[in-house]
Amino acid sequence: MTVELATLANGLRIVTDRIETVDTASLGLWVDVGTRHEAPEVNGAAHFLEHMAFKGTERRSARAIAEEIEAVGGHLNAYTSRESTAYYAKVLKEDAPLALDILSDILLNSSFDPAELERERTVILQEIGQANDTPDDIIFDHFQEQAFPDQAMGRPVLGRPEIIRRVSRDEVMGYLRDHYGATRMVLSAAGNLNHGRIVDLAAQLLSAMPAERAISTEPARYVGGERREARDLEQLHLVLGFPGLPLGDPDYYAGSVLATAFGGGMSSRLFQEVREKRGLVYAIHSFAHGYRDGGVFGIYAGTGEEEVGELVPVLCEETLRLSDGFAPVELARAKAQMKAGLLMSLESTAARCEQMAQHMLIHGTPFDPADMVRRIEAVDVAAIARIVARWRSAPPTVAALGPVGRLEDFERLRARLAS
């Protein structure tokens, strides 16, 4: 990796990683704001804005944006998360200037055409409908909302239909005006490129981006509890979770190793005990999600109505067993999975680009895979024990969707985890 840094006069940070052995370049602009920075009455505005960025500028129509990038065989996309928003492209190396020109244009010069906005409003409502029709997707929104109820961190990224139907053009534009500032942005690029050339292009194209936006962030407060919704489905979709670790916590990597060893693959405890040995599920996994000031650890399982009575006690038993730690071979296997996943992903320019951008947003320094490997290797049984011990002081979070009639009540489940 040949990583170089620069900062424009307006505060925009630029990080590049030159890879001479490829013929492509991935680049994008990451913004350090997302769903948690929305006011409750405009929930979904960050995601709406991301959609509208592709719907025309003062120089390009929506069709022209699509045609220009695809005329060179490239692709352009974006996503919104709870804490950041990204606009990115992948192109052949000679087309990096075009990609950066388009990305700059859609962020600085979006026209927010009223007719396009109304069409995109319908598209987003369709997207919400599709998510609601996908139980193994929407269950995670239910889990997040119950873990962080009545606060920004718990609201859905797509927004609520009743808000999307009425949010105005001025409110979407206002979110851009009030939140997008150069000091909260990172331009990241990886591939066969020249750092100086990227910096010069950024200075030409992005110097007009306002420097600072004073935004406030509501702290994340894990609460926990239960949310269950009865639906006529073949399977019960269940997420059981606990408070997790913020991104800067010294034990953050231990949480990721824990999630991998517990339910991160076919050799994990949960997969072997719940699926292979007992046949109670088709899909099961555990996860650890970190945020700036909090996080969640959880287990997802999809099971039949007849099996739920056996599944929940097993999940609780296996969770309690975590207090005893993992055998050395289990930890070693989990660490190997994580290291291999990290290093294999770095063969992709897009993955490198995103890793660098997110690391700059969160930590303010370039991404160093060797340092990440060292942190993974340093995880020991004591770190795992510290994480599990934190769960004792907070209630669990349970989200269930489907045939919930045979799912035991929350207090009974909570008592199992306290035994």
Side-chain angles (χ1 to χ4, degrees), residues 167-221:
V167 69
S168 69
R169 177 176 181 267
D170 286 345
E171 286 171 323
V172 177
M173 294 175 65
Y175 184 88
L176 169 65
R177 182 187 63 246
D178 296 340
H179 292 83
Y180 278 40
T183 57
R184 304 190 68 88
M185 299 174 69
V186 169
L187 167 59
S188 180
N192 200 330
L193 49 81
N194 179 275
H195 174 77
R197 177 64 172 144
I198 294 295
V199 173
D200 289 344
L201 286 167
Q204 296 171 27
L205 297 168
L206 290 162
S207 291
M209 176 67 69
E212 185 60 77
R213 297 301 193 196
I215 65 170
S216 59
T217 305
E218 180 185 9
R221 296 170 289 101

Side-chain angles (χ1 to χ4, degrees), residues 72-406:
V72 297
H75 64 81
L76 191 67
N77 211 334
Y79 67 81
T80 306
S81 70
R82 288 186 166 84
E83 295 194 302
S84 64
T85 309
Y87 305 83
Y88 57 93
K90 184 168 185 175
V91 292
L92 296 177
K93 60 186 180 182
E94 60 267 23
D95 297 314
L98 171 66
L100 185 54
D101 182 65
I102 294 174
L103 289 168
S104 304
D105 193 23
I106 66 176
L107 281 180
L108 286 171
N109 305 309
S110 286
S111 57
F112 294 92
D113 178 81
E116 290 283 2
L117 187 138
E118 292 308 315
R119 279 192 289 271
E120 209 58 27
R121 188 193 307 276
T122 301
V123 169
I124 294 170
L125 289 170
Q126 295 286 347
E127 186 178 1
I128 294 171
Q130 178 175 301
N132 286 330
D133 285 346
T134 311
D136 55 347
D137 182 0
I138 200 66
I139 188 65
F140 291 97
D141 273 0
H142 292 183
F143 172 76
Q144 186 78 16
E145 186 173 7
Q146 187 58 56
F148 302 98
D150 303 316
Q151 53 187 294
M153 187 55 80
R155 291 194 282 268
V157 171
L158 300 184
R160 304 188 191 283
E162 62 274 17
I163 295 176
I164 297 303
R165 289 190 184 97
R166 63 172 169 74
V167 69
S168 69
R169 177 176 181 267
D170 286 345
E171 286 171 323
V172 177
M173 294 175 65
Y175 184 88
L176 169 65
R177 182 187 63 246
D178 296 340
H179 292 83
Y180 278 40
T183 57
R184 304 190 68 88
M185 299 174 69
V186 169
L187 167 59
S188 180
N192 200 330
L193 49 81
N194 179 275
H195 174 77
R197 177 64 172 144
I198 294 295
V199 173
D200 289 344
L201 286 167
Q204 296 171 27
L205 297 168
L206 290 162
S207 291
M209 176 67 69
E212 185 60 77
R213 297 301 193 196
I215 65 170
S216 59
T217 305
E218 180 185 9
R221 296 170 289 101
Y222 176 89
V223 176
E226 179 189 51
R227 173 172 174 171
R228 60 173 71 195
E229 179 182 330
R231 278 202 202 175
D232 184 16
L233 300 173
E234 290 295 323
Q235 280 204 315
L236 174 75
H237 298 267
L238 177 72
V239 180
L240 168 65
F242 309 90
L245 302 172
L247 293 166
D249 192 282
D251 286 333
Y252 173 75
Y253 287 94
S256 298
V257 172
L258 168 57
T260 303
F262 192 39
M266 293 174 64
S267 64
S268 67
R269 280 191 183 181
L270 286 177
F271 194 93
Q272 287 296 314
E273 181 67 26
V274 180
R275 173 172 161 156
E276 298 297 277
K277 180 178 176 181
R278 299 174 184 262
L280 295 175
V281 301
Y282 172 70
I284 187 166
H285 69 269
S286 59
F287 58 89
H289 293 164
Y291 308 114
R292 295 296 183 86
D293 54 356
V296 287
F297 180 94
I299 304 160
Y300 165 80
T303 191
E305 185 174 7
E306 299 296 325
E307 289 75 25
V308 66
E310 184 180 353
L311 173 66
V312 171
V314 172
L315 292 182
C316 293
E317 289 167 12
E318 291 299 318
T319 301
L320 290 171
R321 279 186 60 210
L322 291 174
S323 298
D324 300 327
F326 292 101
V329 67
E330 291 180 286
L331 276 184
R333 190 165 54 232
K335 292 177 183 180
Q337 285 179 258
M338 289 184 63
K339 289 185 294 183
L342 168 66
L343 297 175
M344 288 177 184
S345 74
L346 295 182
E347 295 179 359
S348 160
T349 59
R352 286 199 188 199
C353 180
E354 179 164 21
Q355 286 272 24
M356 289 193 305
Q358 292 288 2
H359 208 270
M360 287 294 297
L361 287 182
I362 295 163
H363 302 292
T365 59
F367 165 66
D368 181 357
D371 179 62
M372 288 186 70
V373 168
R374 285 191 294 269
R375 291 174 184 270
I376 292 168
E377 286 285 11
V379 173
D380 56 19
V381 291
I384 300 293
R386 287 193 297 270
I387 294 169
V388 176
R390 298 188 189 198
W391 299 347
R392 298 288 185 174
S393 61
T397 300
V398 178
L401 178 63
V404 298
R406 298 191 182 187

Side-chain angles (χ1 to χ4, degrees), residues 62-76:
R63 180 168 180 168
I65 292 171
E67 288 180 342
E68 282 191 45
I69 197 71
E70 292 184 358
V72 297
H75 64 81
L76 191 67

